[in-house]
């Protein structure tokens, strides 16, 4: 478990991002457009916050506890890339 407040905030954001990603993955099999809407609705607010807290948490934590802030940073960047791909790269027909 992280020792600094930034590491603990990073853990909370990681949990929220994991819930969002898991929820979108489950919805993708049931309702694809609902999963797209979920990603477009929550990612712009949660992922940039995760990037900022992940970077600061990585800088503030010691060597052993850097795993959680790095995981937060990586998952946030992946979700931002997915958000941009859906927003600018997905076409609904012709």
């Amino acid at each position: 478990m992280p020792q600094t407040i930034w590491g603990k905030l990073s853990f909370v954001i990681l949990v929220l991002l994991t819930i969002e990603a898991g929820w979108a993955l489950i919805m993708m099999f049931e309702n694809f457009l609902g999963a797209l809407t979920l990603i477009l609705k929550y990612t712009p607010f949660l992922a940039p916050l995760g990037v900022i807290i992940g970077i600061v948490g990585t800088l503030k934590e010691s060597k052993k506890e850097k795993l959680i802030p790095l995981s937060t940073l990586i998952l946030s960047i992946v979700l931002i890339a997915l958000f941009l791909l859906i927003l600018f790269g997905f076409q609904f027909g012709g």
Side-chain angles (χ1 to χ4, degrees), residues 53-68:
I53 291 176
I55 289 172
V56 175
T58 304
L59 294 175
K60 300 283 182 180
E61 287 291 332
S62 63
K63 285 188 177 183
K64 285 178 132 179
E65 288 87 16
K66 284 190 180 191
L67 182 64
I68 290 176

Side-chain angles (χ1 to χ4, degrees), residues 1-8 60-62 65:
M1 188 69 180
Q3 300 300 319
T4 64
I5 189 72
W6 290 103
K8 292 176 183 178
K60 300 283 182 180
E61 287 291 332
S62 63
E65 288 87 16

Side-chain angles (χ1 to χ4, degrees), residues 3-23:
Q3 300 300 319
T4 64
I5 189 72
W6 290 103
K8 292 176 183 178
L9 280 173
S10 179
F11 179 71
V12 170
I13 295 294
L14 180 64
V15 168
L16 292 173
L17 287 171
T18 306
I19 289 171
E20 178 191 353
W23 189 16

Side-chain angles (χ1 to χ4, degrees), residues 1-91:
M1 188 69 180
Q3 300 300 319
T4 64
I5 189 72
W6 290 103
K8 292 176 183 178
L9 280 173
S10 179
F11 179 71
V12 170
I13 295 294
L14 180 64
V15 168
L16 292 173
L17 287 171
T18 306
I19 289 171
E20 178 191 353
W23 189 16
L25 187 66
I26 290 170
M27 279 194 65
M28 209 166 283
F29 293 109
E30 294 177 15
N31 183 5
F32 184 71
L33 293 176
L36 292 179
T37 305
L38 180 95
I39 291 171
L40 290 174
K41 187 175 180 182
Y42 294 115
T43 301
F45 303 107
L46 197 57
L49 187 65
V51 168
I52 293 168
I53 291 176
I55 289 172
V56 175
T58 304
L59 294 175
K60 300 283 182 180
E61 287 291 332
S62 63
K63 285 188 177 183
K64 285 178 132 179
E65 288 87 16
K66 284 190 180 191
L67 182 64
I68 290 176
L70 280 175
S71 301
T72 303
L73 182 63
I74 291 170
L75 186 58
S76 296
I77 291 172
V78 167
L79 283 175
I80 288 174
L82 183 63
F83 169 76
L84 292 174
L85 179 74
I86 291 170
L87 189 62
F88 296 117
F90 193 75
Q91 293 181 358

